[in-house]
Amino acid sequence: MEAAASGGCGSGPPLLLSEGEQQCYSELFARCAGAAGGGPGSGPPEAARAAPGASTAASGPVADLFRASQLPAETLHQITELCGAKRVGYFGPTQFYVALKLIAAAQSGLPVRIESIKCELPLPRFMMSKTDAEIRFGNMAELHGTKVQIPYLITEKNTFKRMDDEDKQQETQSPTMSPLASPPSSPPHYQRVPLSHGYSKLRKSTEQMHPAPYEARQPLVQPEGPSLGGPGAKPLRHQASLIRSFSVERELQDNNSSYPDEPWRITEEQREYYVNQFRSLQPDPSSFISGSVAKNFFTKSKLSIPELSYIWELSDADCDGALSLPEFCAAFHLIVARKNGYPLPEGLPPTLQPEYLQAAFPKPKWECALFDSYSESVPANQQPRDLNRMELSIKDMADFPVPTQDVTGDDKQALKSATDEALPKDMSEDSATPKDSNSLKARPRSRSYSSTSIEEAMKRGEDPPTPPPRPQKTHSRASSLDLNKVFQPSVPASKSGLLPPPPALPPRPCPSQSEQASEAELHPQLNRAPSQAAESSPAKKDIPYSQPPSKPIRRKFRPENQATESQEPTTAVGGPASVATVKPHPTVQKQSSKQKKAIQTAIRKNKEANAVLARLNSELQQQLKEVHQERIALENQLEQLRPVTVL
Amino acid sequence: MGWILVTSATVILFLQNYPLYIRSVPTENELKFHYMVHTSLDVVDEKISAMGKALVDQRELYLGLLYPTEDYKVYGYVTNSKVKFVMVVDSSNTALRDNEIRSMFRKLHNSYTDVMCNPFYNPGDRIQSRAFDGMVTSMMIQVC
């Protein structure tokens, strides 16, 4: 891993470090970065991260370290200038390493020049007093001295993240166990380092600091003297522009692995970063990044093309030539890992699988989206979501080869799974599309969208025409049905001796009152077999519930309500009729008691009706959405075909 | 015009009559296989032009090219984009059935498509995809 240090960060001269140098420098860097965090009281990593700093060595410890090299002050100033810290305003890894190399050069008697660092140099020597180090670096649990394996710069930094999760002691142990390409030769490397006794002691005592420091995310190095660059605002990781994205990824290397044995696990931070990068490339997080866009982006990482090609191979699970968000995260993570020196795995690690990534990191937005999209109670959100989904690339369209049923199935699952989340509505667009697209992508992929999309469209065309059978197709929204039923001659009309039902049943509870009022108006003409008051009143309530929706319900509830009634085919009439029969009941007391029961049953049934209707509503909206998507897909195809024909 | 040559196994994948991918299991005599493949390329071209519209085709090329002492079966396959896959199989293996050959070609084609989907792959480059290699290896192991 020679060029790891040089890769990514563009701000330093190309640097070739030997293994020993790398280890040494990485430890030093860790120490410096960590010390600043450990000294002033290392807050939680998040807090440290919040500070305007990334993986930079704090100025204090760096200054101390440089002083410990026992070089004259002006040499140190020169070094800091040369290494670029002044220019960029902070001691990033590259700057730090260059500085260390220059120190080594200076200590070897070479002039402090950039060229000096190009030759082989011994490691820089630092005289540090143990007490200082201990004080500065705090008291960390003693690490297993020589067993500490800090094989690679990156590995070390990778361990930082563990600080978040586990006991510091444990974390420090984990770096030692880090198996990633970490030859057991690190102890020998350790000893190779011609450090002073104090320094090596310091090392052992401060090994654990290494993880911690990285989290510390120290703000700018305060230069040893005012000559060293001012504390420029260290761009937050997330603020790194795309151009700097891969230099930033070096900072990310700290985040690389939560656990030493799982370098392929994406941390929350990393994921956020990846998602942000994704958004910069493709605003819709549920859509895809096309191959060419991704290629340009990843090429900036300066990895070799074969490696990038291999990374793509690993991460594009469905080989569709585009990256969805989880695929993109996996690819990005692999790139970051590779830049940090991890050899690329033979196969996509399980923690980077798209399904795993989706499941493991149900980002709030996605959850929101899922919940909102599938929430029966938020149909309004489906509208903006629909619109957003419509913007999906044609790939998505093509990726919906299987008929809508699957999507509906997925929706239902998502609904069930996401019901717990309370989510911001504006995330609704992220909705099921990731889930849908991924689940759909899992299906046999359509390789050539142009050729198969038409077939799919045709296939899909078959679906819309068959909406789920509405409960009451015969019922129209208009009240005509009611009227039909209403006007139907009813035999038992006479029996009931119906009087025009009172406009409202005053004793009835409020929710039903308005319904009943409307209902009552219908009933004047109702003549129906008498039914028990209890049944009739719930029935009556059902009817006025809402004209169109009540129709299906009416049907459903008819049998229930009029179980004991003499049933007539037109149940709706039965309801009103039964209702009508209620009213003429002479005794008010009977009415009141029965009304209470009726009210209760009516409430219950209304609730059921609500649920049914809500489900129906959601299903219909789903279909509407799907039909919209199909339409858009077809329009897209048409547009695509049009220029072809023109040419 | 790509090629894949598979013998018992040699795989050569050619694009525009120059090789994209070559793989042989018995590594000796590769040149012989290459020669056979080149000659069979002519036959393939001939068949393509004869077929006219049928672009995706699986054909068998039979031995006329072979030395009398050895038996080889040369199979050809052409994709939509005129990428030719040529497979040379040693007849001393129990003769593979046609549908096995077809399935092998189909797998090759699928893998090739996956390779093409990779934006970092430029058509005309040699194929260095590990997945492709793995697939071909497994296929050849199966054959041998």
Side-chain angles (χ1 to χ4, degrees):
Chain A
M1 203 194 91
E2 57 288 340
S6 57
C9 284
S11 48
L15 201 56
L16 291 180
L17 299 178
S18 70
E19 245 183 353
E21 283 178 333
Q22 273 182 341
Q23 288 183 2
C24 169
Y25 293 172
S26 63
E27 292 156 22
L28 292 174
F29 186 89
R31 198 160 306 119
C32 288
S42 55
E46 293 76 9
R49 256 179 260 119
S55 64
T56 57
S59 59
V62 167
D64 290 344
L65 185 67
F66 287 0
R67 257 182 264 119
S69 67
Q70 297 183 334
L71 291 175
E74 48 183 48
T75 312
L76 294 173
H77 288 198
Q78 265 184 320
I79 289 174
T80 44
E81 276 184 25
L82 273 177
C83 77
K86 187 169 190 184
R87 182 168 18 105
V88 299
Y90 58 88
F91 268 105
T94 307
Q95 290 79 33
F96 191 78
Y97 300 146
V98 174
L100 288 176
K101 229 137 182 209
L102 287 170
I103 288 176
Q107 285 175 342
S108 321
L110 296 174
V112 177
R113 293 269 148 70
I114 294 291
E115 299 78 35
S116 317
I117 64 174
K118 302 229 163 96
C119 39
E120 290 284 305
L121 291 169
L123 291 170
R125 293 181 294 283
F126 300 88
M127 304 295 296
M128 285 203 212
S129 76
K130 183 178 173 193
T131 52
D132 282 350
E134 279 174 356
I135 289 171
R136 186 184 311 130
F137 298 124
N139 296 325
M140 301 296 290
E142 193 75 10
L143 189 57
H144 311 68
T146 55
K147 269 202 328 187
V148 172
Q149 297 201 6
I150 314 278
Y152 291 123
L153 155 70
I154 308 315
T155 322
E156 195 182 32
K157 292 188 180 186
N158 290 341
T159 65
F160 102 96
K161 186 57 182 164
R162 310 206 59 227
M163 296 296 286
D164 301 344
D165 310 332
E166 304 171 21
D167 189 5
K168 289 192 172 176
Q169 298 194 4
Q170 259 185 330
E171 294 172 355
T172 55
Q173 290 174 13
S174 52
T176 70
M177 317 306 185
S178 169
L180 300 169
S182 62
S185 57
S186 53
H189 283 196
Y190 252 65
Q191 283 121 28
R192 263 211 293 148
V193 175
L195 296 172
S196 70
H197 169 72
Y199 183 59
S200 55
K201 257 198 190 176
L202 185 151
R203 268 189 146 158
K204 292 181 189 170
S205 65
T206 59
E207 275 316 330
Q208 286 90 1
M209 283 308 303
H210 294 185
Y214 291 108
E215 314 168 357
R217 296 236 166 267
Q218 287 319 304
L220 300 179
V221 177
Q222 293 164 15
E224 181 180 8
S227 60
L228 298 180
K234 178 70 174 94
L236 272 179
R237 220 177 317 122
H238 297 287
Q239 296 167 2
S241 69
L242 228 129
I243 298 170
R244 281 184 62 90
S245 65
F246 285 100
S247 61
V248 172
E249 90 187 7
R250 291 218 68 207
E251 299 157 359
L252 273 186
Q253 64 200 4
D254 298 354
N255 280 335
N256 240 359
S257 58
S258 310
Y259 324 107
D261 52 349
E262 290 197 51
W264 310 117
R265 191 174 287 269
I266 299 183
T267 66
E268 197 60 35
E269 244 183 51
Q270 288 175 314
R271 184 166 180 92
E272 260 179 61
Y273 179 71
Y274 298 155
V275 172
N276 290 339
Q277 291 298 323
F278 184 97
R279 284 179 185 275
S280 70
L281 293 176
Q282 162 65 273
D284 181 1
S286 55
S287 178
F288 297 89
I289 292 184
S290 74
S292 46
V293 171
K295 175 179 178 179
N296 293 337
F297 179 75
F298 288 137
T299 310
K300 293 185 198 160
S301 71
K302 298 195 181 54
L303 284 179
S304 63
I305 294 292
E307 286 187 350
L308 289 171
S309 175
Y310 183 59
I311 286 177
W312 177 281
E313 226 181 276
L314 287 178
S315 56
D316 190 4
D318 53 1
C319 294
D320 60 354
L323 295 181
S324 68
L325 182 55
E327 289 175 343
F328 177 84
C329 291
F332 209 135
H333 195 75
L334 284 169
I335 287 179
V336 171
R338 183 74 189 102
K339 293 205 71 65
N340 292 336
Y342 288 115
L344 290 176
E346 286 305 311
L348 192 63
T351 51
L352 289 182
Q353 302 274 352
E355 299 80 16
Y356 175 88
L357 285 177
Q358 273 199 315
F361 286 91
K363 296 291 286 183
K365 330 175 191 190
W366 285 11
E367 290 173 338
C368 295
L370 286 171
F371 180 72
D372 277 348
S373 61
Y374 301 124
S375 162
E376 295 173 356
S377 59
V378 196
N381 286 343
Q382 290 183 354
Q383 298 312 318
R385 185 172 61 90
D386 293 347
L387 294 175
N388 285 321
R389 290 190 67 172
M390 290 178 194
E391 295 161 13
L392 288 180
S393 68
I394 193 165
K395 281 196 180 107
D396 282 344
M397 294 303 125
D399 270 340
F400 293 161
V402 182
T404 57
Q405 312 310 330
D406 289 339
V407 177
T408 331
D410 291 339
D411 290 354
K412 294 278 190 301
Q413 292 163 12
L415 168 63
K416 288 165 195 157
S417 61
T419 47
D420 301 333
E421 305 292 333
L423 310 166
K425 291 186 179 181
D426 54 355
M427 295 308 179
S428 59
E429 70 223 32
D430 288 302
S431 81
T433 50
K435 213 170 177 334
D436 279 351
S437 58
N438 281 314
S439 58
L440 290 167
K441 279 170 67 168
R443 301 195 196 103
R445 45 185 195 252
S446 55
R447 292 172 183 281
S448 56
Y449 305 108
S450 54
S451 61
T452 60
S453 56
I454 294 178
E455 299 155 6
E456 288 157 7
M458 283 166 40
K459 267 192 283 180
R460 273 181 260 128
E462 299 165 12
D463 296 329
T466 63
R470 297 181 186 226
Q472 316 304 330
K473 284 202 175 155
T474 58
H475 293 250
S476 66
R477 292 203 49 154
S479 58
S480 58
L481 184 59
D482 274 342
L483 296 176
N484 290 340
K485 293 188 177 171
V486 165
F487 290 125
Q488 266 189 11
S490 57
V491 173
S494 58
K495 187 179 176 187
S496 61
L498 298 176
L499 303 175
L505 298 179
R508 299 267 158 100
C510 300
S512 338
Q513 272 179 356
S514 54
E515 302 166 350
Q516 291 157 8
S518 60
E519 168 78 2
E521 289 163 10
L522 290 179
H523 300 336
Q525 304 91 3
L526 288 183
N527 297 318
R528 178 39 62 150
S531 63
Q532 295 170 11
E535 290 172 351
S536 58
S537 38
K540 180 182 140 193
K541 288 192 182 87
D542 294 334
I543 294 165
Y545 166 68
S546 59
Q547 292 283 351
S550 66
K551 291 186 176 64
I553 296 173
R554 232 176 292 155
R555 282 226 170 181
K556 288 180 191 164
F557 296 155
R558 268 325 134 260
E560 305 166 15
N561 298 338
Q562 300 174 352
T564 60
E565 276 182 50
S566 58
Q567 215 18 280
E568 287 200 7
T570 57
T571 55
V573 184
S578 60
V579 171
T581 59
V582 176
K583 292 160 189 162
H585 275 288
T587 58
V588 177
Q589 296 120 359
K590 244 199 233 172
Q591 275 184 352
S592 58
S593 64
K594 287 184 180 174
Q595 278 166 13
K596 278 179 195 164
K597 286 186 208 164
I599 287 165
Q600 285 161 3
T601 46
I603 288 173
R604 192 181 61 243
K605 287 178 180 157
N606 281 343
K607 283 183 185 164
E608 290 167 14
N610 274 340
V612 168
L613 288 175
R615 246 194 328 266
L616 178 64
N617 186 29
S618 66
E619 283 173 12
L620 291 173
Q621 291 202 350
Q622 192 69 23
Q623 286 186 345
L624 175 67
K625 175 184 53 182
E626 285 153 8
V627 170
H628 276 311
Q629 287 163 1
E630 288 162 13
R631 200 191 95 224
I632 291 198
L634 289 170
E635 285 174 4
N636 283 340
Q637 289 168 19
L638 186 62
E639 281 175 11
Q640 285 179 2
L641 291 172
R642 212 174 277 143
V644 172
T645 57
V646 167
L647 295 174
Chain B
M1 300 359 150
W3 278 72
I4 286 187
L5 166 67
V6 183
T7 67
S8 63
T10 299
V11 179
I12 295 188
L13 175 64
F14 273 68
L15 179 66
Q16 288 169 358
N17 296 344
Y18 63 84
L20 283 187
Y21 184 83
I22 301 176
R23 187 79 164 279
S24 306
V25 159
T27 47
E28 68 280 356
N29 289 341
E30 252 191 70
L31 283 180
K32 180 174 67 170
F33 295 139
H34 291 203
Y35 166 72
M36 277 193 282
V37 166
H38 273 283
T39 51
S40 59
L41 271 181
D42 293 335
V43 183
V44 172
D45 284 337
E46 197 183 296
K47 296 220 175 179
I48 289 178
S49 53
M51 300 287 295
K53 283 200 222 161
L55 297 178
V56 178
D57 190 30
Q58 303 175 26
R59 302 180 212 95
E60 287 192 30
L61 296 180
Y62 254 125
L63 309 180
L65 308 172
L66 300 181
Y67 301 5
T69 55
E70 292 146 331
D71 289 344
Y72 290 97
K73 294 186 188 165
V74 183
Y75 297 93
Y77 182 96
V78 172
T79 70
N80 294 344
S81 51
K82 299 281 199 295
V83 175
K84 304 188 191 75
F85 300 73
V86 178
M87 189 185 315
V88 176
V89 178
D90 191 353
S91 294
S92 53
N93 299 339
T94 54
L96 294 174
R97 286 187 316 228
D98 188 55
N99 50 358
E100 289 176 15
I101 305 287
R102 285 177 197 272
S103 70
M104 287 166 71
F105 273 129
R106 210 172 304 123
K107 277 194 273 185
L108 279 171
H109 193 175
N110 285 343
S111 300
Y112 177 69
T113 317
D114 289 344
V115 168
M116 291 297 288
C117 282
N118 190 329
F120 297 101
Y121 172 77
N122 304 314
D125 290 351
R126 306 220 81 180
I127 293 179
Q128 283 153 337
S129 149
R130 293 192 214 182
F132 191 82
D133 286 344
M135 189 276 309
V136 172
T137 310
S138 66
M139 238 172 47
M140 299 207 292
I141 290 174
Q142 206 181 354
V143 170
C144 303

